[in-house]
Amino acid sequence: MTSDEQAPPHRGPAMPENADRKQRGRPFQPGQSGNPAGKPKGTRHVALQVLDAIGDAAAADVLRRVVEDAKGGDLRAAEILLRRLWPERKGRPSPMELPALQTPADLVKATAAIVEAVASGDVTPEEGAAVASIVETHRRAIETEELERRLTVLEARGDTP
């Protein structure tokens, strides 16, 4: 390079001469998926398919053996069968008197009833929390409906920006 020529501005790391050719040869552009449709729903890895086939082949024999062992007095085998026939309940009904939940005032009464039921021992704190969560979800639904109604009235009057 002579003193009259200027060096080109530096724009990051030097690219190999064939970089542009390699970029043009790609079937898709950077940031664009090579498979926009994605994997079909229900597609499973081959290893999982093989394991399923092994399990399907042996399932009847295994079940037959567990039943035989349970009949022979094996309590662990009996427990396995019973857990499949009668799954453990994740909760129990928690009867408590709650008012109809239609207004915010009803929600206050419902919360008070839940607190009273927990305090008296009629329901556990966990059961009370679960019912309170349902009441809270209902409160949000009431609030959303009320806000939508107010917005409709404001829009009808032309008070919105």
Side-chain angles (χ1 to χ4, degrees):
M1 186 177 314
T2 64
S3 60
D4 294 339
E5 295 177 28
Q6 289 185 352
H10 183 65
R11 294 187 179 147
M15 299 293 287
E17 290 180 22
N18 64 354
D20 188 44
R21 187 176 73 234
K22 286 182 180 178
Q23 295 295 323
R24 283 193 316 261
R26 287 187 176 177
F28 54 91
Q29 298 299 317
Q32 178 185 6
S33 172
N35 184 8
K39 192 187 284 190
K41 286 193 185 275
T43 302
R44 301 189 70 218
H45 192 276
V46 176
L48 293 176
Q49 292 174 358
V50 170
L51 288 173
D52 284 346
I54 292 169
D56 288 344
D61 293 336
V62 170
L63 180 59
R64 196 172 300 111
R65 177 63 190 257
V66 171
V67 170
E68 288 171 11
D69 288 350
K71 286 180 178 179
D74 183 341
L75 293 181
R76 180 69 181 132
E79 180 184 0
I80 291 170
L81 289 174
L82 288 174
R83 283 182 182 265
R84 298 294 176 237
L85 295 173
W86 274 312
E88 290 182 43
R89 292 180 75 169
K90 299 296 180 194
R92 66 178 181 91
S94 302
M96 64 177 85
E97 295 290 324
L98 294 178
L101 303 177
Q102 296 174 346
T103 67
D106 297 334
L107 297 167
V108 173
K109 293 174 189 174
T111 304
I114 295 167
V115 170
E116 185 178 322
V118 171
S120 67
D122 292 337
V123 298
T124 66
E126 292 78 16
E127 292 167 336
V131 174
S133 175
I134 294 168
V135 169
E136 171 60 17
T137 300
H138 194 68
R139 181 202 60 81
R140 287 193 307 252
I142 290 172
E143 180 180 51
T144 301
E145 188 272 332
E146 175 68 18
L147 288 172
E148 197 256 326
R149 187 187 60 74
R150 288 180 182 183
L151 184 59
T152 301
V153 169
L154 289 174
E155 286 174 344
R157 288 191 346 207
D159 291 348
T160 58

